[in-house]
Amino acid sequence: MMPKDELSKAYDPKPVEEKWGKFWLDEGLFVADPHSPKPKFSMVLPPPNVTGILHMGHALCFTLPDIITRWKRMRGHNCLWLPGTDHASIAVHNVIEKSLAEKGLSREKIGRDEFLRVAWEWKEKYGGVITGQLKRLGASLDWSRERFTMDPGFTRAVKQVFVSLYEEGLIYRDYFLVNRCPHCRTVLSDIEIEHKDLRGKLWHIRYAVEGSDESVVVATTRPETMLGDTGLAVHPDDGRYAHLRGRRVVLPLQNKPIPVVTDERVERDFGTGAVKVTPAHDPVDFELGKKHGLEQVIVIDGSGRMTEAAGPEFAGLDRFAARAKVVERLSALGLLVKVEDHDHAVGHCYRCKNVIEPHLSWQWFVRIKPLADEAIRAVEDGRIEFVPANWAKTYFEWMYNIHDWCISRQLWWGHRIPAWYCRDCARTMVAMEAPAKCDRCGGALDQDEDVLDTWFSSALWPFGTLGWPDETEDLEAFYPTDLMSTGFDIIFFWVARMIMMGLKFRGRVPFRHVFINGLVRDLKRRKMSKSEGNIIDPLEMIDKYGTDALRFTLAALAVPGMDLALSEERMAGYQAFANKIWNASRFVLMNLGEDRPEVREDELTLADRWIRSRLAAVTDALDASLTQYKFYEAADLLYHFVWHEFCDWYIESAKVGLRAGNRTTRAVLADGLDRILRLLHPFMPFITEEIWQHLPGAGKSITVAAFPVAGPGWRDEALERDMALVQAVVEETRKVRTENKVAPREKIRLIAVEGPAQAPSTGSGKAAVVRSEAELVKALAGLSTLEFAEALPEGERVLKGVAGPFELGLVVEKPADLGQERERVQKEMAKAEAEAERIARKLENPDFVAKAPAAVVAENRSRLEELSVRLAKLGQNLAKLSGPA
RNA sequence: GGGCGGUUAGCUCAGCGGUAGAGCGUCGGUUUUACAAGCCGAGGGCCGCAGGUUCGACCCCUGCACCGCCCACCA
C-alpha cells in the first residue's frame, strides 16, 4: 500500500496501467487451476492473426468477455481465458511474398523449405506484436497457456482430425469446379467469396445450327468462356427450340460442333432462352455438363490466363483482355447480335478483392451434412444459445443449405495435408506420419503439396488448445467452454465449424453461449478502413484517454448485436468519468485514517441509509444486466450511480455528517467507495485496482476480491421516497434561485409551509423528514436558515416555489423581477395544466376506469390530485405576483 | 429473389403496452477546499408514414417508404 498523499489531483492512467498490468501477470492472478474446487468459467480467445495489429474490432471483442471473466472471477469462479494466435495462411503469404518480391524473389524461386524458414523467422519476430498489444487492453488472459495454431501439439490435433474424418469417409478428394483467386493463387471455399453487384454487359451471340441456315442466339455475361463451350442448353418444353433436340450447333471462333441438350434448369424467360454451356468455367454449367455428359474444356488457367485450348489467337491472354478480343472477333464476324447493360453479382476474393475464377481441379473436401445435422440440433435444443437470439436464424439458414467444404489451399504456410500419393499405382495414403512406401505396390510416395484452409484448424481451437487428442486435465476441467464472443462476420467461417468439430470430436458443444458483437464503425457509421482513413486506433486511444476509458466506452456502446458508432468525444467523456472516480476517491481517502471505522447502525443518517439502499439496488441491477450480456445497460447503471447518486448527492450529503464528526458516515463513505470500485472493476480494471490498494485493509488484488453483494435489508424504498422529498425541496430551491438570478454565494432564508393533508403520493405528512434533515437541506441548497411556518410572508423579496406537499418561500436580498417571475410561474402552470388535462380526460373515460388495472387508475387519480394542488398553489402565487405589478 | 436489422432531442443511442430518457453538443449561471476533465440550472421530440388491435401504442399486428447488412446457380 502506498501512502495516500501520492494521489495526484488528476488521474494519470499510464503509470497505473503499467504497474498493475505487470503485477497481475507476475502474481499469476489469471492462471487457472484445473484442480480448483470452485465452479469453473472458461473461454478461449478468438485467436488474432499473427500478422495482425490490434484494431477496434479486437478491442471490442476482447473487452466485453474480459468484463464477464473479471466479474465471474470476483464471484468466486475458477476462470480460464486462454489466449493464442492464428497462423493465417493467406495473410502471411501476402506479407512474405511481398517482401520477397521487393528483393526480386518469389516463393517459387526460393522453394518450399526456404519459404517456410523465412515465414517462421518472420513469425518469431513479429508474431508477438499483437499479444503485447492485447496485454495493454487489460484482458485477463492466462498467458501460461498461450497457444499457436501451428505449434506441435495443435498440429497433431489437426492431423488427427483430418485422418479420422478421412477414415470415416467424411473427407474426400475430388475433381471439382472450385473458386480460385488468380491473385492469391489458391482455391477458396464458397464463403470466402464476396458477391458484389457489378454493372456488366449481356452479350448476345449467334451460334449456327450445324447443317442448316438456322442459328441460335445465346446470351452471356462472360463471352471469353465461349471458347470452352461444349454444349448449348434449352428448356425441354420450350417450343421455340423443340426442333433443335439432338442436333448440334457450331461454336464460333473454335469452329467446333457442340451438342444441344435440354434441361429444366434453363430459364425460358432469361435472355433468349438458350444458354451456352461451359462446364469447366461456370458452376451451373459444371453440373449441367456432368448430367449430360459434356466435355470439360479448360480455357482459363489458375492465374486467369487463357490456355492453349482457347486457341492460338487467345492463348496467354489475361481473361479480361481475352473478353475484349472475343467480343471484337465476334463483332467482326457479324455474330454479335446485341449488347445490353446488365447488373450481376460477381465473386471477389475476400482477402485481396480480386475477381474469382471458377477453376476445375483436384481438391480435398469435407462432407459436411452429417456434421451439420448434429450442429443444427445443438442450437435447436438450446445446448448452445446465441446472444442475441436472432443470430441463430442466420446460423440455421446457412446450416440448412450448407455445401461441402473445400479445405485444400495451394499455399505453403499452414498445415500440410497428410496425404501421400504413390508414384506407381495412384494409391492415396492418409496418415499421421509419412508412410515409408506405398502399402499396395511398395512404390515411392509424394506428399500432397497443399495445406489446409486456416479455418479448418481454427475449428478445433476450443479443444485443440486444451491438449486434445490427449485426455488432459485441462480438457477435463475446462471443456466445454462457457462463452464465445465474436463478430457476426465469422459465424459461418468459425462459429459453425467449431460447433461441428466440437460435437464430432468431443461429443459435446464447444461453448454454451455465443455472444455476437457488432461492428465498430466511425461516427458517420462507416466501416473503418485504411483506405477511408477513418481508422480509430485503440492504442492511440489508450495513450490519449487511458485503457479504462476505452473499455468503458466500448461497453457503454455495446448493445448486443448492434453495430456501434465510436466517437472520441464519447471516450473523452469516460476519461472524465475516470477522473471523477479518482477525485471522489481522493475525497473519501482524505477523510479516512489508517483504518476503517465501523458502521454503527444507530448512527446512520438518512443519506447513509439512502446510499446503501441505492447501492443494493444497483448491485442487483448490475448482476441482472451482466447475466444478459447487456453491457451498455450495466455501464449506464454504474455511470449514473457513481456520478449522479454517489458523487452529486451522497458525497455532498456526507460532508454534513463529516463536519459533525460522524464516524459512521466516514465508514459508509469508505464502504461505499470500496463497493463501487469492486462493481466497476470488470469495466475499469486499472484505476479501480490503483485506488482500491489505497484503501485501509485492502487485500492482495481487487481482481480476486469478492464482487459486492447487497447487505441484508439495505434496500428501503420508503426511505428512498423520504430522500426524494428532501431532494425535491433542494432542487426546487436551487431552481427558483437560479431562475431569479440570486447570486450563488448569497445565503438565503427558506421558509417551508406544509400543505393540508393530501394524497399519500405527494408525501404529505413528511414534514418531519424535511425538518429533521434541515442541516442537509441547508447545506445542499445554500441556505442560511430553514424555517417552518403556517403561512408564507408576502413581499417582493419572497420568491415562491412548490415541492411535493411544501410551499417554499425564498427570502432574498434583492427584490425579484416580477415580470420574469410571472413568466416562469405561468410556464410551470401551463406544463402542469397540460398534464392534468390529459389525465383528467383519461379518468373521464369509463372504459379506462373499468378496464385498466386498479393500480394504474389509482396512480392517475393521485397524480391528478397532486397536480391540482400544485396548480392551486402556483395560481395563488401568480395572482399575488400580478397584484403589485 | 430470400432473410435480418435500423428509422426516438442538433449528434450518437437507450426504452418497447400505462406521466418520452441518457451522454455529448447548445444556452444561462458559477472558481463553494474531491474534481473547471468540475458544480448549479434551462431549453430541445406529431418516437419514419398509413392503417389496425387495445380503456390506453414509441412499444403489439398489417402494409408502405427510405437506409444498412447477410445469403442466393437467371447464364
Side-chain angles (χ1 to χ4, degrees):
Chain A
M1 199 184 98
M2 294 192 312
K4 53 178 151 291
D5 56 19
E6 279 192 29
L7 285 189
S8 59
K9 199 168 168 182
Y11 174 56
D12 179 14
K14 197 156 290 173
V16 170
E17 290 171 12
E18 273 167 25
K19 177 173 56 173
W20 297 113
K22 184 167 183 306
F23 174 82
W24 295 330
L25 297 187
D26 289 350
E27 296 292 318
L29 290 164
F30 307 142
V31 174
D33 172 10
H35 304 114
S36 167
K38 296 180 195 171
K40 72 96 187 173
F41 178 83
S42 62
M43 295 194 296
V44 288
L45 181 84
N49 288 354
V50 278
T51 52
I53 52 164
L54 196 76
H55 56 66
M56 264 313 162
H58 293 126
L60 176 70
C61 175
F62 301 158
T63 294
L64 302 183
D66 188 54
I67 290 170
I68 298 291
T69 306
R70 285 179 181 272
W71 173 56
K72 293 276 183 187
R73 191 178 289 115
M74 291 174 78
R75 303 202 77 180
H77 284 71
N78 173 35
C79 291
L80 167 63
W81 192 13
L82 188 148
T85 46
D86 189 285
H87 65 278
S89 285
I90 298 185
V92 169
H93 267 263
N94 289 346
V95 171
I96 306 285
E97 294 193 54
K98 199 175 158 196
S99 78
L100 288 177
E102 281 163 11
K103 295 179 209 146
L105 295 170
S106 70
R107 88 188 199 217
E108 287 78 9
K109 274 186 198 161
I110 65 171
R112 187 168 195 138
D113 290 344
E114 176 63 9
F115 179 88
L116 287 177
R117 194 191 60 74
V118 172
W120 274 107
E121 199 177 270
W122 185 89
K123 188 262 168 188
E124 295 309 326
K125 196 164 170 193
Y126 298 106
V129 170
I130 190 141
T131 53
Q133 293 173 332
L134 251 168
K135 288 175 186 164
R136 292 200 62 194
L137 269 183
S140 58
L141 293 154
D142 181 351
W143 291 101
S144 73
R145 287 178 165 83
E146 181 180 359
R147 298 299 298 269
F148 175 55
T149 50
M150 273 169 68
D151 67 32
F154 203 84
T155 298
R156 192 158 64 96
V158 172
K159 279 199 255 185
Q160 177 69 59
V161 165
F162 188 95
V163 171
S164 306
L165 290 177
Y166 177 77
E167 284 170 354
E168 216 181 311
L170 291 174
I171 280 184
Y172 63 93
R173 191 165 180 251
D174 194 14
Y175 190 64
F176 202 80
L177 191 69
V178 291
N179 312 292
R180 184 174 165 105
C181 174
H183 176 262
C184 298
R185 289 178 297 155
T186 180
V187 302
L188 299 167
S189 65
D190 293 343
I191 52 174
E192 286 167 300
I193 308 309
E194 290 173 354
H195 292 274
K196 280 187 241 173
D197 270 334
L198 290 189
R199 159 89 8 123
K201 296 208 185 299
L202 196 57
W203 283 273
H204 293 245
I205 306 169
R206 187 181 303 281
Y207 287 21
V209 177
E210 190 185 39
S212 85
D213 298 337
E214 262 190 278
S215 62
V216 185
V217 175
V218 299
T220 180
T221 54
R222 298 200 56 196
E224 71 279 14
T225 65
M226 60 87 60
L227 298 167
D229 283 2
T230 57
L232 184 140
V234 296
H235 194 276
D237 302 333
D238 194 333
R240 294 173 294 176
Y241 301 115
H243 62 290
L244 293 180
R245 238 175 240 228
R247 313 251 325 243
R248 301 201 296 185
V249 296
V250 179
L251 184 62
L253 305 181
Q254 297 284 51
N255 240 339
K256 169 181 155 187
I258 55 176
V260 175
V261 300
T262 59
D263 198 286
E264 314 220 317
R265 286 175 71 176
V266 176
E267 293 282 338
R268 276 174 283 184
D269 301 334
F270 188 87
T272 60
V275 58
K276 60 191 265 320
V277 183
T278 322
H281 296 286
D282 181 277
V284 181
D285 293 6
F286 175 73
E287 285 179 27
L288 281 180
K290 271 195 160 173
K291 188 168 156 192
H292 298 283
L294 302 177
E295 210 187 334
Q296 297 168 331
V297 177
I298 296 175
V299 293
I300 305 171
D301 69 15
S303 331
R305 298 193 172 277
M306 306 309 286
T307 63
E308 295 297 327
E313 216 180 330
F314 303 99
L317 283 182
D318 177 77
R319 52 195 165 147
F320 295 111
R323 175 178 303 176
K325 189 149 189 187
V326 165
V327 169
E328 185 193 308
R329 295 283 292 111
L330 289 171
S331 178
L333 292 168
L335 297 174
L336 191 62
V337 179
K338 69 172 170 179
V339 185
E340 295 171 312
D341 284 334
H342 180 70
D343 294 344
H344 66 298
V346 177
H348 292 71
C349 173
Y350 82 131
R351 301 279 342 170
C352 73
K353 314 295 175 193
N354 280 287
V355 175
I356 286 298
E357 196 55 48
H359 181 68
L360 192 56
S361 52
W362 280 100
Q363 304 294 339
W364 288 92
F365 296 86
V366 175
R367 198 180 308 284
I368 206 86
K369 279 242 155 61
L371 298 171
D373 288 343
E374 185 55 31
I376 288 168
R377 271 194 293 279
V379 175
E380 275 173 350
D381 65 23
R383 275 175 287 160
I384 295 177
E385 275 176 53
F386 278 83
V387 180
N390 58 299
W391 283 108
K393 193 164 178 174
T394 303
Y395 169 83
F396 286 136
E397 205 59 39
W398 187 65
M399 292 296 263
Y400 289 141
N401 302 304
I402 199 163
H403 298 299
D404 280 2
W405 173 16
C406 175
I407 50 172
S408 42
R409 299 288 179 272
Q410 290 67 54
L411 301 167
W412 290 345
W413 175 247
H415 299 283
R416 191 162 178 181
I417 292 175
W420 288 264
Y421 309 111
C422 176
R423 288 180 196 169
D424 302 329
C425 73
R427 166 87 166 143
T428 296
M429 293 179 71
V430 168
M432 292 295 286
E433 301 302 333
K437 55 185 177 15
C438 175
D439 62 353
R440 191 194 285 161
C441 74
L445 298 168
D446 293 314
Q447 185 170 8
D448 195 299
E449 292 292 325
D450 292 353
V451 298
L452 288 164
D453 181 358
T454 305
W455 296 105
F456 184 87
S457 53
S458 317
L460 321 180
W461 193 242
F463 55 92
T465 50
L466 294 172
W468 190 89
D470 295 333
E471 290 298 327
T472 60
E473 286 178 338
D474 276 4
L475 197 56
E476 173 64 29
F478 300 114
Y479 189 95
T481 67
D482 295 271
L483 174 64
M484 170 54 61
S485 159
T486 190
F488 58 81
D489 50 332
I490 54 176
I491 291 178
F492 305 149
F493 280 106
W494 196 42
V495 176
R497 287 160 175 175
M498 280 190 287
I499 295 173
M500 291 191 272
M501 292 300 189
L503 287 165
K504 180 71 189 169
F505 289 94
R506 294 305 299 158
R508 300 175 73 184
V509 296
F511 31 72
R512 312 215 186 268
H513 289 175
V514 183
F515 177 80
I516 302 294
N517 56 250
L519 220 59
V520 184
R521 295 170 175 278
D522 74 0
L523 199 48
K524 291 176 186 154
R525 307 207 61 78
R526 294 173 309 184
K527 252 180 166 167
M528 289 188 192
S529 75
K530 274 183 205 155
S531 53
E532 290 279 345
N534 62 343
I535 302 256
I536 302 179
D537 175 7
L539 296 168
E540 205 179 293
M541 294 302 107
I542 286 173
D543 288 339
K544 213 161 155 188
Y545 303 103
T547 301
D548 291 327
L550 171 65
R551 290 172 57 110
F552 206 86
T553 306
L554 292 171
L557 295 173
V559 178
M562 293 273 295
D563 287 356
L564 51 96
L566 195 63
S567 74
E568 273 200 61
E569 286 77 19
R570 190 85 186 233
M571 237 171 297
Y574 290 121
Q575 180 194 28
F577 180 50
N579 199 51
K580 186 77 182 174
I581 295 164
W582 184 256
N583 279 295
S585 303
R586 282 174 60 220
F587 177 80
V588 174
L589 290 169
M590 247 181 228
N591 283 286
L592 275 185
E594 287 307 308
D595 42 49
R596 288 172 50 181
E598 293 279 312
V599 169
R600 288 194 43 183
E601 293 291 326
D602 59 334
E603 280 180 10
L604 288 166
T605 64
L606 174 71
D608 293 336
R609 289 181 198 277
W610 173 78
I611 199 64
R612 297 219 302 192
S613 179
R614 297 304 307 143
L615 209 33
V618 167
T619 302
D620 289 345
L622 187 66
D623 267 340
S625 296
L626 286 179
T627 301
Q628 298 166 78
Y629 303 107
K630 292 186 175 175
F631 298 98
Y632 67 100
E633 196 177 84
D636 264 8
L637 268 167
L638 287 169
Y639 182 90
H640 182 263
F641 174 73
V642 171
W643 201 314
H644 300 301
E645 296 193 297
F646 189 76
C647 294
D648 289 351
W649 286 103
Y650 183 62
I651 288 188
E652 294 309 316
S653 303
K655 286 175 182 174
V656 177
L658 291 175
R659 273 198 293 272
N662 186 333
R663 275 178 64 86
T664 288
T665 289
R666 269 167 55 203
V668 172
L669 259 179
D671 183 63
L673 176 64
D674 188 346
R675 283 167 182 271
I676 282 171
L677 292 172
R678 284 180 282 146
L679 292 173
L680 276 168
H681 178 258
F683 298 81
M684 303 184 123
F686 295 104
I687 189 174
T688 50
E689 178 79 285
E690 173 70 14
I691 300 167
W692 194 74
Q693 296 279 349
H694 282 78
L695 282 173
K700 178 175 189 178
S701 166
I702 195 171
T703 60
V704 289
F707 201 72
V709 175
W714 281 16
R715 189 75 209 274
D716 184 341
E717 295 185 42
L719 181 134
E720 287 188 20
R721 280 193 296 275
D722 285 352
M723 182 69 178
L725 183 57
V726 170
Q727 290 172 324
V729 171
V730 170
E731 283 172 336
E732 179 71 2
T733 307
R734 284 172 179 168
K735 190 168 101 181
V736 173
R737 58 186 291 167
T738 302
E739 299 208 333
N740 283 285
K741 306 217 185 310
V742 176
R745 56 183 341 133
E746 181 182 336
K747 296 276 183 203
I748 53 171
R749 278 175 63 206
L750 181 67
I751 300 165
V753 175
E754 190 186 11
Q758 292 122 14
S761 64
T762 60
S764 173
K766 295 290 183 126
V769 174
V770 177
R771 204 183 288 266
S772 67
E773 296 300 326
E775 285 310 309
L776 187 55
V777 174
K778 279 164 65 181
L780 296 175
L783 307 178
S784 57
T785 60
L786 171 57
E787 301 149 40
F788 294 85
E790 290 300 316
L792 290 182
E794 297 300 334
E796 53 183 7
R797 283 179 46 234
V798 180
L799 303 172
K800 291 174 183 168
V802 182
F806 293 104
E807 271 185 279
L808 302 176
L810 288 69
V811 184
V812 297
E813 289 165 3
K814 274 188 293 189
D817 176 337
L818 291 186
Q820 196 181 329
E821 184 58 2
R822 199 157 46 228
E823 219 172 277
R824 186 183 73 81
V825 175
Q826 273 165 347
K827 232 192 276 174
E828 295 227 334
M829 285 185 75
K831 228 192 267 177
E833 259 161 22
E835 196 189 337
E837 204 177 313
R838 206 172 49 233
I839 294 172
R841 219 179 306 132
K842 218 192 275 190
L843 287 167
E844 279 159 20
N845 180 350
D847 279 336
F848 173 72
V849 178
K851 294 182 183 169
V856 173
V857 177
E859 208 180 302
N860 276 279
R861 285 226 167 92
S862 73
R863 178 68 185 153
L864 183 59
E865 220 171 310
E866 200 178 309
L867 284 166
S868 60
V869 169
R870 183 174 174 79
L871 276 168
K873 286 174 184 167
L874 287 169
Q876 285 166 22
N877 292 351
L878 187 65
K880 283 169 190 159
L881 283 167
S882 310

